[in-house]
Amino acid sequence: MPQPDGRPVQSFDQKNALLEAHAARVNGAGDPALVLLHGFGTDQTIWGALTPRLPPARRIVLYDHMGSGASNLAHYDPARYATLEGYADDLADILEALDLRDATMVAHSVSGMIALLASLRTDRIGRLIMIGASSRYLNDGDYEGGFERGDVEQLLDLMALDFQGWARTLAPQVMDQPEQPGLIQELVYSFSRSNPEITRGFARATFMSDHRSALGACRVPTLVLQASADMVVPLAAARFLANGIPNARLEIMATRGHYPHLSAPDLVAEAIARFLAETQA
């Protein structure tokens, strides 16, 4: 029989296979759990600076999106992952496999929309924390997404022609922390070690997506965390995101760059702790 949300019930073997395919890891035992979702071009190791700062005695779940990090590429289906819907289905399935309830999604960049879409599929998500997220990356009339379609096409072309050059060029710009070259090199390494073809597909699914119409359907408390300067997500897009979700608020952090969980983990951890205190009282 299907679950109350209509999703098929997974067998024990199916659950284990799913978790192994996504290289899922669970640390700690306290509930509600925190599920950390990495963004485009990275994997679960990107959370290394943040996890020690998260509330103690809390179960922390990490996994790699299919095609990223240590995920099993044998399970990658270009058609399934041509849009963010496939990644949202994966998240809902992983929450079921781990039997998580009232879980908090801590989602970076494109994973903000992946988590929101998953919240429309399952009742296992209790709250969303989005870091540098956007519902639409392309400019569209009065909407300021930050990129023109031609900009994205050039990015995709560069990835196809010179993947390593793309990684070296993009990382310093999106990190925006010239005084911390080690962080830039960490991001270059993360970008460049990923599968070029799959990463390019994820880039297209990310930057060509438009989920503005889904925002109003989200019913869980949401925190939109945004750096004061971010070349990937302008403040206008962050405000649009927070205003479009019924039970959301925007918090602008006094830092810059698209990776504050790397460059300013204390700020991010403090914001997460405040939000959890507000929504789990």
Side-chain angles (χ1 to χ4, degrees):
M1 292 180 61
Q3 302 177 80
D5 62 7
R7 304 184 66 78
V9 175
Q10 302 170 343
S11 70
F12 178 81
D13 288 342
Q14 287 173 324
K15 292 177 181 180
N16 281 344
L18 173 70
L19 298 176
E20 289 177 3
H22 288 274
R25 294 189 297 125
V26 181
N27 300 316
D31 288 321
L34 295 173
V35 182
L36 309 188
L37 309 173
H38 67 84
F40 157 76
T42 62
D43 58 38
Q44 62 182 273
T45 63
I46 203 73
W47 298 108
L50 182 65
T51 49
R53 295 169 166 84
L54 293 174
R58 183 66 65 103
R59 180 160 37 162
I60 297 175
V61 177
L62 303 103
Y63 74 91
D64 291 330
H65 289 307
M66 185 50 59
S68 302
S71 65
N72 187 341
L73 301 188
H75 294 268
Y76 182 80
D77 179 353
R80 176 181 175 88
Y81 299 108
T83 70
L84 303 187
E85 305 287 346
Y87 298 96
D89 286 336
D90 286 348
L91 174 54
D93 289 341
I94 287 169
L95 296 177
E96 185 209 336
L98 293 171
D99 194 23
L100 300 183
R101 300 181 187 279
D102 193 37
T104 299
M105 306 296 106
V106 181
H108 176 236
S109 193
V110 65
S111 282
M113 285 303 98
I114 292 171
L116 185 145
L117 293 173
S119 77
L120 307 181
R121 291 160 159 74
T122 177
D123 60 2
R124 296 177 180 272
I125 295 176
R127 61 206 57 77
L128 302 176
I129 299 173
M130 302 181 179
I131 304 171
S134 176
S135 57
R136 169 73 163 171
Y137 294 89
L138 297 183
N139 299 326
D140 184 10
D142 293 335
Y143 173 79
E144 183 184 351
F147 296 90
E148 297 295 338
R149 182 173 293 271
D151 299 332
V152 174
E153 293 292 355
Q154 288 181 3
L155 171 73
L156 295 172
D157 288 345
L158 178 58
M159 293 176 74
L161 292 171
D162 183 4
F163 190 75
Q164 298 300 320
W166 160 80
R168 292 191 300 270
T169 299
L170 185 66
Q173 298 175 11
V174 295
M175 180 60 72
D176 196 12
Q177 296 285 332
E179 69 280 9
Q180 299 192 68
L183 294 183
I184 296 171
Q185 288 307 310
E186 182 177 347
L187 195 58
V188 169
Y189 177 65
S190 179
F191 285 170
S192 60
R193 72 171 181 257
S194 57
N195 179 285
E197 184 176 351
I198 291 176
T199 302
R200 188 169 180 266
F202 197 6
R204 180 173 291 279
T206 297
F207 291 107
M208 296 302 187
S209 65
D210 183 358
H211 293 288
R212 290 174 292 178
S213 63
L215 301 183
C218 181
R219 290 294 178 262
V220 299
T222 301
L223 173 64
V224 177
L225 275 179
Q226 180 67 25
S228 59
D230 180 350
M231 71 156 287
V232 179
V233 180
L235 287 177
R239 292 192 179 99
F240 184 95
L241 176 61
N243 290 338
I245 298 173
N247 191 10
R249 69 173 175 85
L250 171 65
E251 182 171 335
I252 299 175
M253 298 178 291
T255 188
R256 65 183 186 274
H258 193 55
Y259 294 83
H261 47 305
L262 269 180
S263 59
D266 286 328
L267 284 180
V268 174
E270 290 163 6
I272 290 173
R274 286 194 299 270
F275 183 66
L276 293 178
E278 295 169 6
T279 58
Q280 294 180 353

